[in-house]
Amino acid sequence: MYSYIDVLTVGAGVGGLRVVDMAVQLFFFLLLLFLVKKFAWGPVMNMMQKREEYVANEIEAAEKSRLDAEKASKEAHERLKQTKQEAQKIIEDAKEAGQKQEQEIIRIARDEANRLKESAQADIQNEKEKALQALQDKVASLSVLIATKVIEKEIDEKDQEKLIHEYIKEVGEEL
Amino acid sequence: MNHTAPIAEDLFGISWFDVNLANLFMVAVSSAIVFILSVIASRKLQMKPTGLQNFMEWIVEFVKGIISDTMDWKTGKVFLPLGLTLITYILVSNLLGVATVGVIGHDLWWKSPTADATLTLTLSGMVVLLTHFYGIKIRGMKHYLKGYVSPSPIMLPFKIIEEFTNTLTLGLRLFGNIYAGEVLLGLLVTLATTGVPFGFIFAAVPMLAWQGFSLFIGGIQAFVFTMLTMVYLSHKVSSDH
């Protein structure tokens, strides 16, 4: 059949140092190393590096904007709180002012009422005096009338006294 | 099955100056394929990766993972292009011989360049030389030499032997795996084509299985070679060793 020695010659040629083969292998490998580094792996690695930097930048930017948002939110919160306080203060002020005004109004009303009462009393006094004056006038005229009547009748002293009393009583009743 | 390598013997009349032309051809083909595929895949790079760019970036991440497994990423950064080229070149080389084998006359022209011990040992020798170079460059001559006698001077012969065994095992592991794969594929093809009754049918199923397995082996060996390269580099480069 077939000699195994022949089989062993397939491709290998185990024996023998072939310097040219080695030199060519070395040359081709180093050339390939140089070429693929320059034209294939170099650009690929550059692109990966670039992407890495891009991602890092993006993460940094995201972090920064997150911090900004946090800050802004805090600020808004602070401002809201402040506004609430201000509103509270305004309401309290308004309440106080309302109460003050209420008291003022009551005071004014009371004063007015007092003033009206006083003027009414003064009026009453006035009227009373007027009425007394009128009464006095009436008494005087009545006295004159009585005197004339007494004179007309020519009555005695007793009768006269009786008459005067009668008239005075009459006047009293009339009053 | 009497395939021989197309060897041009005694080039320029020098007795030891033999050249395996198939090797030269396949090294050139593998390099060209890797270069063309890489360049095509890395055209139209975008911020939002699509299609082939994703694949390229996956490879970059993969090799980055290998490097940062074995050493500090800060010092390992410079080895990323080396790792990428190694893994792609070796993978493509391994797969070339799995998918197709081309024979002209009795000469085997189309095969995996990594199924040749000379070429794999060249690669591993280059890697080991690089470890020495970067060991001196990054940590200084003093540290580099000190590495041979630590923890104790007794280690010196072992450390020197280790450098050679590293070169041999790294190269021969790759060679052995791929070469064995090709030998078995060759035997199966022979079974299918040399007139054994129903030979084709007997050969087809194992052929399919073995090709699948060879694909797997090819990927694993490319990974292992890159991984070990980084391990050897880290031994020389890292300060904690």
Side-chain angles (χ1 to χ4, degrees), chain A residues 2 6-12 18 20-22 25 28-29 32-33 39-40 43-45 47-48 51 54, chain B residues 2-3 20 23 27 31 38 42 45 47 57 61 80 85-86 89 108 111 116 118-119 122 126 179 194:
Chain A
Y2 305 103
D6 279 345
V7 170
L8 284 176
T9 58
V10 175
R18 287 196 296 277
V20 178
D21 290 18
M22 296 173 80
Q25 167 71 83
F28 266 99
F29 185 80
L32 181 69
L33 179 59
F39 293 111
V44 170
M45 286 189 284
M47 182 53 73
M48 288 170 84
R51 183 176 318 121
Y54 175 76
Chain B
N2 293 312
H3 297 148
N20 186 341
N23 277 350
V27 164
S31 303
S38 310
S42 55
L45 292 173
M47 215 55 166
E57 292 190 1
E61 291 291 335
L80 186 55
T85 316
L86 271 178
Y89 175 76
L108 180 72
K111 54 165 190 111
D116 188 291
T118 314
L119 300 188
T122 308
M126 177 196 75
Y179 180 59
T194 45

Side-chain angles (χ1 to χ4, degrees), chain B residues 123-144:
Chain B
L123 284 178
S124 64
M126 177 196 75
V127 164
V128 172
L129 284 179
L130 278 178
T131 65
H132 291 282
F133 173 71
Y134 277 105
I136 295 171
K137 188 185 172 194
I138 292 177
R139 297 190 56 214
M141 187 56 106
K142 206 178 143 198
H143 271 97
Y144 168 75

Side-chain angles (χ1 to χ4, degrees), chain A residues 100-151:
Chain A
K100 230 180 222 169
Q101 207 163 6
E102 182 190 320
Q103 275 168 358
E104 181 77 10
I105 288 169
I106 289 173
R107 197 180 57 76
I108 290 171
R110 202 168 276 157
D111 284 0
E112 182 74 12
N114 281 343
R115 203 178 56 73
L116 280 175
K117 199 168 143 195
E118 266 165 29
S119 94
Q121 270 171 348
D123 275 1
I124 291 166
Q125 198 62 31
N126 217 7
E127 290 295 315
K128 198 171 158 189
E129 269 166 23
K130 258 187 194 163
L132 272 175
Q133 194 64 44
L135 187 67
Q136 272 170 0
D137 286 357
K138 193 105 181 188
V139 168
S141 67
L142 274 175
S143 307
V144 172
L145 202 67
I146 290 164
T148 36
K149 269 191 178 167
V150 167
I151 293 161

Side-chain angles (χ1 to χ4, degrees), chain B:
Chain B
M1 191 62 206
N2 293 312
H3 297 148
T4 50
I7 293 178
E9 284 183 33
D10 298 348
L11 208 65
F12 308 126
I14 308 167
S15 62
W16 47 268
F17 219 63
D18 299 344
V19 177
N20 186 341
L21 295 175
N23 277 350
L24 307 194
F25 175 62
M26 287 317 294
V27 164
V29 168
S30 296
S31 303
I33 290 176
V34 170
F35 175 67
I36 290 167
L37 284 183
S38 310
V39 169
I40 286 175
S42 55
R43 276 165 62 218
K44 290 185 276 176
L45 292 173
Q46 289 162 331
M47 215 55 166
K48 288 187 206 161
T50 49
L52 285 173
Q53 194 188 344
N54 272 327
F55 180 65
M56 293 291 273
E57 292 190 1
W58 175 75
I59 298 176
V60 171
E61 291 291 335
F62 183 71
V63 176
K64 216 185 235 182
I66 294 176
I67 293 174
S68 42
D69 276 349
T70 53
M71 64 187 108
D72 186 26
W73 172 241
K74 243 183 186 166
T75 51
K77 215 161 39 180
V78 287
F79 306 129
L80 186 55
L82 173 71
L84 286 167
T85 316
L86 271 178
I87 204 167
T88 47
Y89 175 76
I90 294 174
L91 181 68
V92 167
S93 301
N94 293 349
L95 299 187
L96 277 181
V98 174
T100 51
V101 173
V103 177
I104 297 173
H106 275 298
D107 288 345
L108 180 72
W109 275 95
W110 185 282
K111 54 165 190 111
S112 286
T114 44
D116 188 291
T118 314
L119 300 188
T120 56
L121 284 172
T122 308
L123 284 178
S124 64
M126 177 196 75
V127 164
V128 172
L129 284 179
L130 278 178
T131 65
H132 291 282
F133 173 71
Y134 277 105
I136 295 171
K137 188 185 172 194
I138 292 177
R139 297 190 56 214
M141 187 56 106
K142 206 178 143 198
H143 271 97
Y144 168 75
L145 290 177
K146 214 174 161 189
Y148 284 99
V149 290
S150 63
S152 91
I154 302 167
M155 295 296 283
L156 181 61
F158 300 107
K159 294 256 178 176
I160 291 171
I161 291 169
E162 189 192 11
E163 298 306 322
F164 291 101
T165 53
N166 278 352
T167 315
L168 278 175
T169 54
L170 187 61
L172 291 180
R173 178 185 304 108
L174 178 59
F175 157 71
N177 275 284
I178 306 309
Y179 180 59
E182 292 207 344
V183 167
L184 194 55
L185 282 180
L187 288 174
L188 286 169
V189 170
T190 314
L191 175 65
T193 52
T194 45
V196 179
F198 303 109
F200 181 78
I201 296 162
F202 287 130
V205 173
M207 182 89 176
L208 204 62
W210 189 251
Q211 276 194 321
F213 190 60
S214 288
L215 281 178
F216 176 66
I217 293 285
I220 290 289
Q221 287 307 317
F223 168 70
V224 166
F225 196 97
T226 313
M227 183 78 178
L228 285 175
T229 298
M230 294 308 159
V231 169
Y232 296 155
L233 275 169
S234 82
H235 281 170
K236 289 274 183 288
V237 160
S238 296
S239 45
D240 54 298
H241 279 290

